[in-house]
Amino acid sequence: MYKKPSIWQIIIRLLWMYAPFAIIGQALGYYFSATILFCVIMLFTHYYQLLKLSKWLWEQRGIYPPKALGIWSNVFEGIYTQQRRNVKKRNELTTLVRRFRLGAEALPDGVVIYDKERRIFWCNKIAQKMLNLKWPADKGIRIDNLIRMPEFIDYLDDQAYQEPLEIPSPTNDTDVYEIRVVPFESDKWTLIVRDITELHQLEQMRKDFIANVSHELKTPLTVMRGYLEMTEELDDIDSAMWNKAHTMMVEQTTRMDELVSQLLSLSKMERQTPLDEVSIINIPKILELLVEEAISLSANQHKITADITPSLMMKGNESELRSAFSNLVFNAIRYTPVNGNIHICWEMTQSGKAKFSVTDDGVGIETNHIPRLTERFYRVDEARTRKTGGAGLGLSIVKHALANHNSKLEITSKLNQGSCFSFRIPKSLVSKQ
């Protein structure tokens, strides 16, 4: 490694090189000519070194510099050292950019970087998928030319980035995205896209739940209040009228009590951790009693059959499972027309899981309603549900009870052909007697 020479070292070296020419020229009487010769030699020497430098910088592929004379060795070494520093910094910068891009690609949100002219500088793969962008074809194109939504363009124009913007997905009408814009550099901005479809659906479910539970509680209270106000105005209450009013108030009170009980039960299941109270449960015995209750509830208006494996037990929470079984069976009775068939099955599958199913040949359910059946108070047919007396919480209770047993409800149905509600219990909870 060469050291940087001082100005005095350069002058001394130059004098040492000039000294022989001066001495010989002085001795021969050609001092001026010797000085001119020294200058010409030095000129050609430096020009030759410049040619070597130019050839090394522009033509040679080698990394190391060529050999040089005098001060030029320091010049070559200095350029070589600077090149190595630049290469090192460039590699560090490349590594940093690569890590940034890998980090941005690992984000669960879409990221788009654009400049002050709104031209796209870079975007990750999730942003390409969410906003229907194409990379690198869309590089340099204005983002407001690719996402032509008035609310989005107004959001960029106003630059009121303190609050996020919610927009529908450009590729799917059912999805909802949240847009946030933050500064990236002095002349660049970062647009972050987040999928909030699930949060949006949960918020809508919360609103529906509040509206439905208010309606459910208001109806029986209105009936009872009406009869009570009617009886206050009558001095002599007709016995027939009182019997009707009393019967109606008892029915509505019972309905409201069942609704509150189901809400409390559902709330308790949501607070419990999975398999909080585990014990060996005699499922065949529970189902045999349940079949008798179903026949009694049906009043012999349906043909109810059962196929129960007597030795198939399981571990779990008995009250939750009993609630899940009974809700599925009683729903089948409520929504199956008179003289319809209902089949209850509890069996071992080939994979070693226990399977429970309730199959009917009733009116069936349209396909678009099936994904929402386990939502609280969701009803396929409002009038039919009111007539049967359901509160709209049964399948929600089933869903949470099964979730606490590492299982989930499976629904298959065809309109006017019937339905099948089933679930599978994991092998770890199955116990054979």
Side-chain angles (χ1 to χ4, degrees), residues 95 142 373:
T95 302
R142 289 176 61 98
L373 287 179

Side-chain angles (χ1 to χ4, degrees), residues 306-320:
D307 186 7
I308 302 171
T309 304
S311 60
L312 187 55
M313 314 290 181
M314 68 166 288
K315 294 179 286 185
N317 186 299
E318 183 172 351
S319 63
E320 291 185 4

Side-chain angles (χ1 to χ4, degrees), residues 169-427:
S169 167
T171 58
N172 190 343
D173 295 337
T174 60
D175 293 341
V176 180
Y177 294 158
E178 181 185 79
I179 301 291
R180 288 183 179 272
V181 177
V182 294
F184 179 66
E185 291 179 351
S186 58
D187 60 341
K188 290 184 176 62
W189 297 84
T190 301
L191 184 144
I192 301 173
V193 189
R194 176 171 297 175
D195 190 343
I196 59 169
T197 304
E198 186 174 351
L199 293 176
H200 199 265
Q201 291 175 346
L202 289 174
E203 178 64 16
Q204 187 60 43
M205 289 172 59
R206 183 188 67 82
K207 294 178 181 178
D208 293 342
F209 171 74
I210 293 174
N212 286 321
V213 74
S214 301
H215 183 70
E216 290 291 340
L217 292 174
K218 182 180 179 180
T219 301
L221 290 174
T222 301
V223 172
M224 289 187 293
R225 181 180 178 182
Y227 279 114
L228 290 173
E229 290 177 351
M230 186 183 299
T231 55
E232 285 179 356
E233 297 174 358
L234 299 177
D235 296 331
D236 186 15
I237 302 176
D238 181 73
S239 60
M241 178 184 174
W242 172 250
N243 290 336
K244 179 181 178 181
H246 183 268
T247 302
M248 185 65 71
M249 286 189 290
V250 169
E251 290 178 355
Q252 295 298 326
T253 304
T254 303
R255 177 185 172 189
M256 188 165 58
D257 181 67
E258 290 177 355
L259 176 62
V260 173
S261 297
Q262 287 183 336
L263 285 171
L264 291 174
S265 177
L266 188 57
S267 177
K268 180 181 178 182
M269 289 182 186
E270 290 177 336
R271 291 196 306 269
Q272 285 181 339
T273 57
L275 304 180
D276 200 15
E277 300 175 4
V278 180
S279 60
I280 301 295
I281 307 172
N282 190 341
I283 299 296
K285 183 178 179 180
I286 293 176
L287 293 180
E288 288 174 359
L289 294 175
L290 189 59
V291 170
E292 294 179 2
E293 294 176 5
I295 294 174
S296 176
L297 179 63
S298 172
N300 294 321
Q301 294 181 341
H302 303 88
K303 182 180 179 181
I304 301 175
T305 58
D307 186 7
I308 302 171
T309 304
S311 60
L312 187 55
M313 314 290 181
M314 68 166 288
K315 294 179 286 185
N317 186 299
E318 183 172 351
S319 63
E320 291 185 4
L321 289 170
R322 185 190 297 273
S323 179
F325 290 133
S326 60
N327 271 294
L328 293 180
V329 173
F330 295 160
N331 277 351
I333 295 173
R334 289 192 184 102
Y335 300 115
T336 300
V338 176
N339 298 324
N341 297 292
I342 299 173
H343 182 68
I344 303 170
C345 183
W346 172 252
E347 60 182 351
M348 175 81 78
T349 64
Q350 293 181 351
S351 61
K353 297 181 179 181
K355 180 181 179 181
F356 175 79
S357 63
V358 180
T359 308
D360 63 66
D361 56 0
V363 295
I365 306 168
E366 293 183 5
T367 305
N368 60 304
H369 292 290
I370 292 178
R372 299 194 60 187
L373 287 179
T374 55
E375 293 181 13
R376 301 178 186 182
F377 296 106
Y378 183 80
R379 294 182 174 89
V380 175
D381 187 338
E382 190 80 16
R384 186 180 69 178
T385 307
R386 299 289 184 193
K387 184 178 179 180
T388 56
L393 291 173
L395 292 183
S396 296
I397 293 174
V398 174
K399 174 185 175 181
H400 285 85
L402 296 181
N404 288 341
H405 292 80
N406 300 322
S407 181
K408 63 179 182 179
L409 184 62
E410 300 172 7
I411 305 172
T412 58
S413 182
K414 290 185 179 181
L415 197 62
N416 300 321
Q417 295 185 25
S419 306
C420 177
F421 291 77
S422 63
F423 57 86
R424 292 176 174 84
I425 299 298
K427 291 189 291 184

Side-chain angles (χ1 to χ4, degrees), residues 145-178:
N145 288 339
L146 298 173
I147 306 175
R148 302 190 62 83
M149 296 183 180
E151 60 269 31
F152 176 72
I153 296 174
D154 291 341
Y155 184 68
L156 296 181
D157 291 339
D158 296 340
Q159 294 189 359
Y161 300 141
Q162 296 81 5
E163 296 294 330
L165 171 70
E166 292 186 8
I167 62 171
S169 167
T171 58
N172 190 343
D173 295 337
T174 60
D175 293 341
V176 180
Y177 294 158
E178 181 185 79

Side-chain angles (χ1 to χ4, degrees), residues 95-107:
T95 302
L96 183 63
V97 171
R98 186 183 299 111
R99 289 179 178 176
F100 167 77
R101 291 189 174 182
L102 289 175
E105 293 291 355
L107 291 174

